[in-house]
Amino acid sequence: MHRGGVIVVKFGGSVLRCEDSLRLAVHEVLRWRRDGVRVVAVVSALSGRTDALFAECRATGLGAGAYATAARVACGETESAARLGVELDAAGIEAAVLSPEAIGLLAEGDPLDANPVGVDAERLRGVLRARGVVVVPGYVACDRNGRTVLLGRGGSDLTALCIARALGARCRLVKDVDGLYEHDPSRPGPRARRYAAARWVDALATDGSIVQHKAAEF
């Protein structure tokens, strides 16, 4: 176990299957805090929530516009972050729940598949020093006009990696598969190769396919 420092821990929808799963995330945060490590917890929407929100947007006749869709779908991650904040508070763990706008997480490009271009690392460090734990919704960012955008499928992993890189911190992606792959191992086609070790460039080049629960860090 590492003493002190900062770690970014990302909890995916495959792990957050229901509200009860948030309590498992609390235990993961707590074990790091007991060792004096400050934690940025990045959370996905609960399992199935993102698909349901996209379906809701498609069901509006001609379909919602891209920015309106992004704002609606982002509610899944925002809700998870708020719920985890409540659970942490109930467990006596002081935490700050911050929006992508609050941490300066900027992205450019397609509003439903944007690329992150910056994070306010100093703002995050300040809150971490004061509170010890920061909870951030994954997958969601803001563009330079303040509009909500999404980072595309696997975007919560990208959120975590982007924040960790900005902070110079370790990153742990909590998932339900057995390693980091070059692409989704469930996708048809050539068998995906699993990394024995990964550099930042390797991790950022993947499409969100992923790291074993409590098994690997960057």
Side-chain angles (χ1 to χ4, degrees):
M1 180 74 73
H2 302 276
R3 297 293 308 180
V6 177
I7 190 166
V8 179
V9 184
K10 183 264 181 176
F11 301 96
S14 59
V15 174
L16 301 178
R17 295 187 175 278
C18 61
E19 290 189 32
D20 288 344
S21 302
L22 292 169
R23 298 186 183 97
L24 300 177
V26 170
H27 289 301
E28 178 74 358
V29 171
L30 178 59
R31 76 186 191 91
W32 288 105
R33 291 299 295 138
R34 283 173 174 165
D35 206 51
V37 179
R38 295 183 177 92
V39 180
V40 179
V42 177
V43 294
S44 295
L46 297 183
S47 181
R49 181 67 170 148
T50 297
D51 288 339
L53 289 169
F54 268 117
E56 177 187 298
C57 291
R58 289 193 297 268
T60 59
L62 296 176
Y67 287 104
T69 296
R72 181 66 180 116
V73 173
C75 292
E77 274 69 24
T78 301
E79 185 177 66
S80 285
R83 287 178 171 177
L84 179 56
V86 169
E87 294 289 346
L88 288 167
D89 188 61
I93 303 171
E94 190 173 11
V97 181
L98 299 181
S99 67
E101 184 177 18
I103 64 169
L105 181 54
L106 294 177
E108 296 177 343
D110 187 324
L112 300 181
D113 191 17
N115 296 309
V117 295
V119 177
D120 189 342
E122 288 308 307
R123 164 70 170 155
L124 268 172
R125 290 191 184 100
V127 179
L128 283 168
R129 284 192 294 267
R131 304 294 291 274
V133 179
V134 171
V135 182
V136 177
Y139 185 45
V140 183
C142 296
D143 69 10
R144 297 190 186 278
N145 294 314
R147 295 173 296 190
T148 297
V149 297
L150 304 179
L151 302 182
R153 289 297 188 176
S156 291
D157 297 327
L158 190 55
T159 300
L161 290 166
C162 183
I163 291 173
R165 188 174 188 179
L167 294 175
R170 289 162 280 151
C171 185
R172 175 166 289 212
L173 307 179
V174 182
K175 291 283 185 168
D176 63 349
V177 296
D178 63 355
L180 180 73
Y181 287 84
E182 60 185 344
H183 59 77
D184 188 343
S186 66
R187 195 166 65 194
R191 184 176 180 178
R193 295 175 298 177
R194 187 178 68 182
Y195 288 96
R199 303 166 298 163
W200 276 110
V201 66
D202 298 322
L204 291 172
T206 65
D207 60 1
S209 327
I210 306 313
V211 178
Q212 183 181 6
H213 181 51
K214 298 184 182 177
E217 297 172 18
F218 298 97

